[in-house]
Amino acid sequence: PSSEPSKMPSATPSHAPSKMPSEFPSLAPSSEPSLIPSAFPTYVPSAGPSRSPSLQPSLAPSSKPSLMPSSVPSVSSMPSLVPTVGEALIACSSGKCVERTPIGDPVTIVVPVESIYGIRCCADSQLNAAFVAANSQCPGLWVSSRDIDGECVRETTYHNGLSVCQSLGAR
């Protein structure tokens, strides 16, 4: 390398780049990214996101997640298996419920939380006389469809049903 900076940049990169950073860095970013990662990356994050997403997701979550949600939702080719806010996953055990579930899944369905269904509270022990042992496919599980007053809960919303089960010490 020369001892003095050139007046005009060269058309091709040097085969022996300088060892010290330039005293006068360029004012505008280059039009192409570097092919070799910097040995001295910046520790200050950029002011905005990159124009194109990474080809591979990060292996670890961010230590400083954004405080504001994205203005544009992400699009996924795989739907979530977890219900979104305003929805609940219900498990069906009656013939009437099974008829409403999608083909291929006769057990569960995602419904709005304000939908009306009967409930079955579950526990790992018999919490009161209304709890009975579940079928042989679920050993150690106790179930009840009755509230704290012993009334069968046949028509309620998700949140009310959750409240009934929690008041019994069940889930």
Side-chain angles (χ1 to χ4, degrees), residues 102-123:
I103 295 173
D105 186 2
V107 179
T108 60
I109 186 171
V110 175
V111 299
V113 292
E114 294 306 315
S115 298
I116 304 295
Y117 283 90
I119 63 167
R120 175 140 317 148
C121 301
C122 300

Side-chain angles (χ1 to χ4, degrees), residues 62-102:
S62 172
S63 61
K64 295 181 181 178
S66 60
L67 298 175
M68 296 294 294
S70 172
S71 60
V72 179
S74 58
V75 178
S76 172
S77 60
M78 280 292 291
S80 173
L81 298 176
V82 178
T84 60
V85 174
E87 295 179 327
L89 182 66
I90 62 169
C92 303
S93 62
S94 75
K96 286 189 256 179
C97 183
V98 169
E99 290 168 8
R100 294 185 189 177
T101 60

Side-chain angles (χ1 to χ4, degrees), residues 2-164:
S2 62
S3 59
E4 294 290 319
S6 63
K7 303 273 187 242
M8 293 290 292
S10 59
T12 58
S14 169
H15 293 290
S18 58
K19 293 183 176 155
M20 296 296 292
S22 170
E23 289 181 36
F24 307 103
S26 60
L27 298 175
S30 63
S31 61
E32 295 292 321
S34 304
L35 296 176
I36 301 169
S38 172
F40 304 101
T42 181
Y43 292 101
V44 179
S46 60
S50 61
R51 287 185 214 138
S52 59
S54 303
L55 297 177
Q56 294 292 322
S58 304
L59 295 177
S62 172
S63 61
K64 295 181 181 178
S66 60
L67 298 175
M68 296 294 294
S70 172
S71 60
V72 179
S74 58
V75 178
S76 172
S77 60
M78 280 292 291
S80 173
L81 298 176
V82 178
T84 60
V85 174
E87 295 179 327
L89 182 66
I90 62 169
C92 303
S93 62
S94 75
K96 286 189 256 179
C97 183
V98 169
E99 290 168 8
R100 294 185 189 177
T101 60
I103 295 173
D105 186 2
V107 179
T108 60
I109 186 171
V110 175
V111 299
V113 292
E114 294 306 315
S115 298
I116 304 295
Y117 283 90
I119 63 167
R120 175 140 317 148
C121 301
C122 300
D124 296 324
S125 62
Q126 187 175 22
L127 300 177
N128 64 38
F131 278 81
V132 296
N135 66 34
S136 61
Q137 294 175 347
C138 302
L141 183 68
W142 296 81
V143 296
S144 175
S145 296
R146 301 192 179 276
D147 64 16
I148 202 148
D149 297 321
E151 298 292 321
C152 187
V153 183
R154 290 191 172 103
E155 295 183 351
T156 192
T157 64
Y158 169 80
H159 292 293
N160 289 339
L162 186 61
S163 179
V164 167

